Amino acid sequence: MEITNGIRTLYLSGKNQGRRFVSKKSVGVVRFWRSLNFAQRCYFSATCLFALWLYFDINSVAFELLMFSFVLVGVFKETWPKFMLVWNSLPGKAAILFVYAVIANFALASASGMVNDVTGVSASALPYSHNFALILMLPSWFFLTSTLLLFSAIILTPLYLLVLLLLKPIGIKRVWHPPEYRFVFTTAFVRYILTWGVFLKLVVIALQLGIVEPVADSDEGEVVTIDYAAGKLATEILRSEEGEVAALNKQASTEPVLEREPDNSSQQNAITKAQALANVTDTSKQDEVRQTIKQINADANELNNELDDVLRDAAEKSKSFRRMQRVALAHFIFEYEADARSRCAHTESSRVIELNDYEILQVTQNKDETNEIGFDYQVLACKSAAIGLGENK
């Protein structure tokens, strides 16, 4: 009975101490959580998810989407007030409008090039199709500009961290932050790491969706590949091993010969065994180096093949994405821009866009598999009652 009471007392005391420990820790965690603002809480949550992602090797799109969403929400929460502060000033508003004007100019030029590539005529003759092509190009340009802005923030973050380190000895712990903002340097460093992850993920998504086309390899100049680097490293290792063996042999050959030659056979056998052992050791070293070279080359070839497959898949998806845009534009031109009836004579089942008083753009459907967009475009002379009727030849 006494033993049972002792065990029960020990259990209750341990339980109470455990509750106190957990309550103290929970109070500390709650105080730490409440000391953070909304953006810092997003970064903290993303960091915890990132640690779980690395430790458990989680391969889930939903998990990655949740993790990167926390980062983007935190970045947006911190940058939006600063953006509004810049927008409310006259120089800032001028700079932002200038950036938007540059982006709009590039978007208009790319849309005009798409219309010309599909129809073969100037985009000025097809204003509605030009606007539709601009709508098709806007997601790509929005994605590219957002990624470039994120990359610019990543580049400037180390400078901000350096400024914080330089100002810390003189008592300045924060720049552009309210006094109650805690963990300034740590938050900036965590934000820097997380934004790099978001940037790399956006690049991968752009390649997978075909929004960004991979840069083609240049044939000019020497391209250093993984195979070249691995082979060079292995060759240097082999040369160093062979150099060491040659140096040992040279040293053995230049050593002074003993004045007293060995008379008994036991000494000669010992010398012969030593030389044979040295030769076996040198051969084994060279074999190990050769095996290392083969392994490095095999790993490099496998990695190169994987990179080639990724780039090839990205190039195919980019071509498919461009083709989809061209097909959508061609259907818009045929259904909405072109006219089924015109003052100019044209073939049956075709549609016409009047370029000027003397020329028309005839659009006809083409179901041939070799035609990617499914339509043919031909510039013809306008034959009307005023100019002269006649059949197209």
Side-chain angles (χ1 to χ4, degrees):
M1 191 67 179
E2 294 179 357
I3 298 175
T4 306
N5 292 332
I7 294 174
R8 183 179 181 183
T9 303
L10 181 63
Y11 170 75
L12 293 176
S13 62
K15 185 177 180 180
N16 294 330
Q17 290 179 1
R19 285 181 177 178
R20 294 192 193 98
F21 179 79
V22 172
S23 62
K24 289 180 180 179
K25 292 296 182 181
S26 62
V27 169
V29 172
V30 170
R31 288 179 180 176
F32 171 76
W33 181 260
R34 290 180 178 178
S35 65
L36 303 177
N37 59 11
F38 179 79
Q40 289 176 329
R41 293 175 184 177
C42 292
Y43 299 146
F44 181 77
S45 302
T47 304
C48 294
L49 293 177
F50 182 71
L52 294 175
W53 180 71
L54 289 178
Y55 185 77
F56 294 102
D57 194 14
I58 300 174
N59 189 11
S60 174
V61 177
F63 187 87
E64 294 180 358
L65 180 62
L66 178 63
M67 179 176 60
F68 291 121
S69 297
F70 277 119
V71 181
L72 292 176
V73 170
V75 171
F76 181 80
K77 178 64 176 179
E78 286 192 329
T79 55
W80 182 254
K82 296 180 177 58
F83 176 81
M84 294 303 299
L85 183 64
V86 174
W87 176 257
N88 290 330
S89 64
L90 186 60
K93 189 175 295 185
I96 293 173
L97 290 177
F98 175 76
V99 172
Y100 278 116
V102 172
I103 296 173
N105 187 38
F106 278 99
L108 284 170
S110 61
S112 176
M114 182 186 294
V115 173
N116 179 260
D117 186 42
V118 171
T119 62
V121 298
S122 176
S124 60
L126 293 82
Y128 305 109
S129 300
H130 190 191
N131 294 335
F132 182 74
L134 180 61
I135 295 173
L136 293 177
M137 297 296 293
L138 278 179
S140 301
W141 280 101
F142 178 77
F143 188 90
L144 291 175
T145 52
S146 301
T147 306
L148 289 177
L149 288 175
L150 183 62
F151 184 69
S152 301
I154 292 173
I155 293 177
L156 296 177
T157 299
L159 299 177
Y160 177 68
L161 295 175
L162 181 61
V163 170
L164 288 179
L165 288 177
L166 294 177
L167 295 179
K168 191 173 182 179
I170 61 177
I172 300 177
K173 297 183 180 180
R174 57 185 58 85
V175 180
W176 303 318
H177 292 293
E180 64 274 7
Y181 194 92
R182 300 183 61 195
F183 311 109
V184 181
F185 185 84
T186 305
T187 303
F189 181 75
V190 171
R191 188 194 309 117
Y192 175 70
I193 300 298
L194 294 177
T195 48
W196 259 117
V198 173
F199 174 74
L200 295 177
K201 188 63 179 179
L202 290 177
V203 172
V204 172
I205 292 175
L207 291 174
Q208 291 177 348
L209 295 179
I211 298 176
V212 177
E213 185 175 0
V215 181
D217 296 333
S218 177
D219 297 333
E220 299 180 357
E222 183 181 2
V223 180
V224 180
T225 60
I226 299 175
D227 292 332
Y228 174 78
K232 186 176 180 182
L233 176 61
T235 305
E236 290 179 356
I237 295 174
L238 181 59
R239 287 179 179 176
S240 63
E241 294 289 342
E242 293 178 351
E244 292 178 0
V245 173
L248 292 175
N249 293 332
K250 184 178 180 181
Q251 182 179 1
S253 62
T254 56
E255 287 181 353
V257 182
L258 297 177
E259 294 180 358
R260 185 174 58 86
E261 296 180 355
D263 295 334
N264 50 17
S265 60
S266 61
Q267 293 180 352
Q268 291 181 357
N269 291 333
I271 294 174
T272 304
K273 290 180 179 179
Q275 291 178 354
L277 183 61
N279 293 331
V280 171
T281 304
D282 296 339
T283 305
S284 63
K285 288 183 178 180
Q286 293 181 3
D287 292 339
E288 290 178 359
V289 172
R290 290 189 178 92
Q291 291 295 331
T292 304
I293 293 173
K294 291 181 180 180
Q295 185 64 31
I296 292 175
N297 288 331
D299 295 339
N301 290 331
E302 184 179 358
L303 183 58
N304 276 333
N305 292 332
E306 291 179 358
L307 291 175
D308 291 339
D309 292 339
V310 170
L311 293 177
R312 192 179 301 109
D313 183 66
E316 290 297 329
K317 289 183 177 180
S318 178
K319 291 179 181 179
S320 177
F321 183 76
R322 305 293 182 223
R323 189 183 304 113
M324 179 188 66
Q325 289 180 326
R326 288 158 51 89
V327 170
L329 179 61
H331 279 279
F332 181 86
I333 293 173
F334 185 80
E335 296 293 339
Y336 298 100
E337 184 83 21
D339 297 325
R341 297 182 179 183
S342 174
R343 64 184 179 88
C344 301
H346 58 91
T347 59
E348 189 178 358
S349 72
S350 66
R351 298 195 177 187
V352 173
I353 299 175
E354 295 185 8
L355 302 178
N356 49 53
D357 292 339
Y358 307 99
E359 294 175 321
I360 61 172
L361 177 65
Q362 181 175 274
V363 185
T364 56
Q365 288 184 325
N366 188 348
K367 301 298 183 179
D368 192 359
E369 295 180 356
T370 58
N371 194 323
E372 293 183 353
I373 59 177
F375 296 92
D376 288 331
Y377 301 89
Q378 188 177 7
V379 178
L380 301 175
C382 177
K383 296 180 180 179
S384 64
I387 301 175
L389 294 174
E391 295 182 357
N392 295 328
K393 296 181 180 180

